[in-house]
Amino acid sequence: MCGIVGYIGEKNATPIILEGLRKLEYRGYDSAGIAVIEDGKIEIRRDVGKLINLEVLVKERPLSGKIGIGHTRWATHGAPSARNAHPLIGEKGKVVIVHNGIVENYLELKEELESEGAHFNSDTDTETIVYLIERNFVKGVTLEEAVRLSLQRIRGAHGIVVISNQEPDKIIAARIGNAGGVVIGHGDGEMFVASDIPAILEYTRKMSFLESHQMAVVTRNHVEIKTLNGEHVDVKIDNIAWDPVAAVKGKYRHFMQKEIHEQARSLTDTLTGRVDFDNNRIELINLNMDEKKAKAIQKIIITACGTAYNAGMVGKTMIETIAKIPVEVDVASEFRYRDPLVDESTCVIVISQSGETADTLAAMEEAHKKGAIVLSIVNAIGSQAIRAADGYISMQVGPEIGVASTKAFTAPLVDLYMLAIYLADLRGTLTEEERSHYIYDLRVIPDIAGKCLKREDAVEEVAKILKDVHNILYLGRGINMPIAYEGALKLKEISYIHAEAYPAGEMKHGPIALIDKDMPVLAIIPKDQWYDKMLSQVEQVKARGGTLILVATDGDARAKELGDYVLWIPESPWLLTPVFTTIPLQMLAYHIAAIRGLDVDQPRNLAKSVTVE
Ligand code: F6R
């Protein structure tokens, strides 16, 4: 989704901004632009499509200035085009803006401005903001005041960054609500502004984050943060420890493939500092949970979007089995508007890779309003979903660049498993023997994940066979039912093949009518308590002539007989099987898309971080 980068200092802002935008490409976008102040004038270059188009434009018509802002846009109002790309400039050419978010009352504002004689040059909602700011500014107030006054008029959630040739020594950045973050990077005689950490991590690790309804005045040597009411806010500087090298593709063709292969390591990393194998204990320090709070929980609701929601469905079985607390799982975009039954005895857990998903953040707000304890499981350090939670578990998997989430799906499965043990322990419902047994099982994760990854060639062979199919039906049951959903989601996201998932027991209630020789069925049948039931479902498919792809446990002779193709996984503890059944499905989706020659890391219409509704 939209990305923002800004620079002020002694260097040429253009290459720094373009490089920063490149680091944000993974978020997904359809146009890009840059504005710098050059010799007292605002110069803008914008183009539709990939960043390379903008780079070519900048080569043809170079830009240099010591202050500038850039943007990658994911269209909401107005088609993707150079005309609608950001930065957008005011009518008098004195103020220029980049913006993430949607101006909910933009029609009303546009009509008002038009009635006062304004002519709009784009179809965007953003232009109304810059027109408002400029109109306030030319009345004689400071740029900071003009931004503040204007933001009071717009509804919705926003991240904005503004510069002006009339006050060329500062960048003004502001955040309202949850339309993505605004982070300020502190350099030496230079400062950076961005929507996301990776854009500026190369230059500084010292970062400050704006909260909702805060704005920053950023000069070369100083950062001042205030609320939108003008109250002073202490500037807190966090030191970000991520290694930017982790975001390089290395020997892999795509980031997605690299991230799939990182899972043996990322699954180890997510255990690090949390599991004490010597004393059989789980420690989740940042959760801020104690015995009293844990014992007061009557119900857990897990809420999230997309892949993270699928992880939540696995978490339900884990928590209900280990901690014996009832768990509901809800899609965040539904939860936020459903007036859910939540009170002080409810613990709401959100899961989010980016920590900036608008629906998930709104669900957190709703839960807080109703008095619940709100916990989050998040990958992006410093993101809003961490800051707005009462406690959190960080996934610790490093930046995920591929739009299709992989390592940020398997890590929360393990986090939820650890959380279940931790809560059960605090509530005193686990015997010593049970705790030892559950914790012991965590040891095998990196090894089994590594073994699954080594089987990539076999999965690729199956991908070659399936590459031209038009549909696939994914079936699973019990704790692997959500993995059917996750496998189908991965396939449709990156290969554009229609894939549908069903709890296998539902087959007979409808989807079985679809089965014929043209409908391949992928069934997940590890050796767990649902195995026999799954087998009978698989037999029914076989009887109707469907091609069968099975995910099965090594040595399963029945699977070998029944399946046209089998993706094998090593034997594993049943509560953790989803971590391993997922891996061949990620690889299958990846190879099908790669063979079809598609843009695996940036699939069409998708964004890495969905900061609008
Ligand atoms: C799927 C995918 C999306 C995200 C969803 C939530 O591969 O990436 O379905 O899982 O948009 O995003 P986060 O986890 O950032 O809240």
Side-chain angles (χ1 to χ4, degrees):
M1 204 130 286
C2 307
I4 289 178
V5 187
Y7 173 81
I8 180 162
E10 271 308 298
K11 300 185 190 124
N12 182 358
T14 307
I16 294 172
I17 292 170
L18 289 176
E19 191 46 43
L21 292 178
R22 181 152 305 289
K23 298 265 168 47
L24 298 184
E25 275 197 297
Y26 69 93
R27 290 169 62 93
Y29 66 103
D30 41 44
S31 58
I34 178 169
V36 303
I37 301 177
E38 188 176 309
D39 300 329
K41 210 173 149 253
I42 295 172
E43 285 286 343
I44 302 178
R45 307 284 182 269
R46 301 178 297 179
D47 211 342
V48 71
K50 294 287 172 189
L51 208 51
I52 184 76
N53 301 353
L54 177 65
E55 285 166 341
V56 169
L57 196 65
V58 169
K59 239 189 198 133
E60 286 165 7
R61 294 172 52 215
L63 281 177
S64 80
K66 293 176 180 170
I67 173 171
I69 53 178
H71 192 257
T72 44
R73 173 175 186 254
W74 193 77
T76 55
H77 289 66
S81 65
R83 176 172 178 270
N84 290 332
H86 300 201
L88 288 152
I89 194 161
E91 299 157 277
K92 299 195 185 311
K94 293 182 193 294
V95 178
V96 66
I97 188 174
V98 289
H99 167 227
N100 288 351
I102 294 174
V103 183
E104 288 174 4
N105 54 334
Y106 108 99
L107 276 179
E108 184 187 312
L109 291 173
K110 195 170 178 179
E111 272 169 25
E112 177 188 316
L113 287 161
E114 276 173 340
S115 74
E116 291 168 6
H119 293 286
F120 286 91
N121 297 311
S122 77
D123 313 308
T124 66
D125 51 343
T126 302
E127 221 175 4
T128 56
I129 311 179
V130 70
Y131 278 25
L132 278 177
I133 295 174
E134 200 183 64
R135 282 174 176 232
N136 281 318
F137 190 38
V138 297
K139 282 183 195 154
V141 299
T142 60
L143 183 62
E144 178 191 335
E145 193 54 22
V147 171
R148 181 176 294 117
L149 288 171
S150 309
L151 289 186
Q152 281 159 11
R153 298 281 330 270
I154 63 173
R155 287 207 299 270
H158 309 277
I160 70 158
V161 179
V162 175
I163 55 174
S164 165
N165 60 348
Q166 306 300 301
E167 291 187 20
D169 58 341
K170 66 187 62 140
I171 297 177
I172 309 277
R175 171 175 190 165
I176 302 180
N178 297 321
V182 177
V183 50
I184 297 153
H186 301 253
D188 192 8
E190 57 185 359
M191 299 283 176
F192 308 83
V193 177
S195 52
D196 302 80
I197 295 170
I200 53 176
L201 198 55
E202 192 181 328
Y203 308 105
T204 179
R205 282 161 189 269
K206 289 192 223 150
M207 313 236 178
S208 303
F209 300 90
L210 288 193
E211 299 293 339
S212 178
H213 289 85
Q214 288 183 352
M215 61 191 286
V217 181
V218 182
T219 62
R220 267 187 55 196
N221 294 307
H222 187 67
V223 175
E224 190 182 9
I225 301 183
K226 293 180 185 168
T227 64
L228 288 187
N229 297 327
E231 288 148 22
H232 171 84
V233 175
D234 286 338
V235 179
K236 188 173 157 266
I237 301 180
D238 288 327
N239 243 314
I240 302 297
W242 283 4
D243 178 3
V245 179
V248 173
K249 228 182 287 175
K251 64 178 182 183
Y252 297 101
R253 269 180 75 192
H254 297 96
F255 279 112
M256 182 181 178
Q257 190 184 26
K258 174 180 178 254
E259 285 155 7
I260 290 172
H261 280 274
E262 273 170 9
Q263 287 175 110
R265 203 203 73 206
S266 61
L267 288 165
T268 313
D269 289 349
T270 208
L271 296 172
T272 307
R274 277 83 183 261
V275 194
D276 175 352
F277 284 113
D278 295 335
N279 298 304
N280 284 321
R281 289 273 162 200
I282 299 288
E283 196 51 80
L284 299 169
I285 290 179
N286 295 321
L287 215 52
N288 294 326
M289 183 61 69
D290 56 26
E291 218 179 286
K292 189 165 166 240
K293 284 196 223 166
K295 283 186 174 156
I297 298 172
Q298 303 275 340
K299 168 173 87 169
I300 289 177
I301 300 180
I302 303 178
T303 182
C305 305
T307 282
Y309 170 78
N310 294 339
M313 287 200 284
V314 177
K316 173 182 166 72
T317 307
M318 289 173 166
I319 295 172
E320 289 188 342
T321 305
I322 298 173
K324 308 276 187 284
I325 306 172
V327 181
E328 291 169 21
V329 190
D330 214 343
V331 169
S333 53
E334 293 295 323
F335 178 89
R336 64 183 289 190
Y337 290 119
R338 202 166 41 79
D339 194 14
L341 296 177
V342 170
D343 60 22
E344 294 77 15
S345 67
T346 314
C347 172
V348 171
I349 303 173
V350 304
I351 306 170
S352 177
Q353 188 290 126
S354 63
E356 298 290 353
T357 301
D359 286 323
T360 306
L361 295 178
M364 291 178 84
E365 248 174 66
E366 178 69 18
H368 261 141
K369 246 190 258 158
K370 296 194 163 194
I373 296 181
V374 181
L375 306 178
S376 63
I377 301 178
V378 180
N379 192 33
I381 303 293
S383 61
Q384 183 66 7
I386 286 189
R387 285 177 291 134
D390 299 316
Y392 69 93
I393 304 176
S394 84
M395 292 184 196
Q396 301 187 166
V397 302
E400 190 180 64
I401 306 294
V403 163
S405 197
T406 51
K407 61 178 180 172
F409 174 74
T410 47
L413 301 184
V414 176
D415 296 331
L416 285 159
Y417 180 92
M418 291 190 292
L419 176 65
I421 300 171
Y422 189 61
L423 287 177
D425 225 4
L426 287 172
R427 290 160 67 93
T429 55
L430 268 192
T431 64
E432 190 68 36
E433 197 189 342
E434 283 168 330
R435 175 153 40 75
S436 316
H437 155 80
Y438 288 132
I439 291 181
Y440 185 83
D441 284 348
L442 284 165
R443 282 171 203 261
V444 300
I445 292 176
D447 180 52
I448 301 182
K451 287 184 175 135
C452 294
L453 292 165
K454 284 211 177 93
R455 301 174 180 190
E456 185 173 21
D457 290 350
V459 179
E460 191 176 357
E461 287 312 307
V462 179
K464 285 180 190 160
I465 294 156
L466 294 178
K467 71 175 180 8
D468 294 320
V469 300
H470 296 293
N471 304 284
I472 301 189
L473 184 61
Y474 284 67
L475 300 177
R477 220 167 159 153
I479 198 162
N480 277 290
M481 180 272 283
I483 305 307
Y485 282 82
E486 177 57 11
L489 179 64
K490 285 295 91 95
L491 186 74
K492 61 189 144 200
E493 280 184 299
I494 58 168
S495 73
Y496 316 143
I497 293 172
H498 171 239
E500 207 175 342
Y502 259 92
E506 276 289 292
M507 273 273 287
K508 56 189 173 299
H509 300 291
I512 199 161
L514 293 169
I515 309 293
D516 64 9
K517 65 177 183 17
D518 297 322
M519 173 62 90
V521 174
L522 189 150
I524 305 165
I525 58 161
K527 281 276 176 69
D528 58 17
Q529 55 267 51
W530 295 277
Y531 174 74
D532 291 333
K533 300 278 170 211
M534 278 305 295
L535 264 192
S536 79
Q537 240 83 61
V538 163
E539 309 255 12
Q540 289 175 33
V541 172
K542 188 85 182 165
R544 285 161 181 82
T547 304
L548 261 176
I549 307 109
L550 301 177
V551 177
T553 312
D554 286 346
D556 181 345
R558 193 75 190 110
K560 196 164 176 208
E561 248 170 60
L562 282 171
D564 294 289
Y565 311 101
V566 185
L567 309 176
W568 296 107
I569 59 157
E571 201 172 327
S572 54
W574 76 267
L575 270 168
L576 292 168
T577 49
V579 178
F580 313 114
T581 50
T582 302
I583 293 175
L585 300 188
Q586 294 171 339
M587 295 196 288
L588 184 67
Y590 168 74
H591 280 291
I592 292 177
I595 295 166
R596 286 160 75 101
L598 297 169
D599 188 350
V600 173
D601 286 332
Q602 289 174 38
R604 68 185 181 205
N605 306 337
L606 292 180
K608 185 68 186 161
S609 157
V610 185
T611 53
V612 293
E613 268 198 82

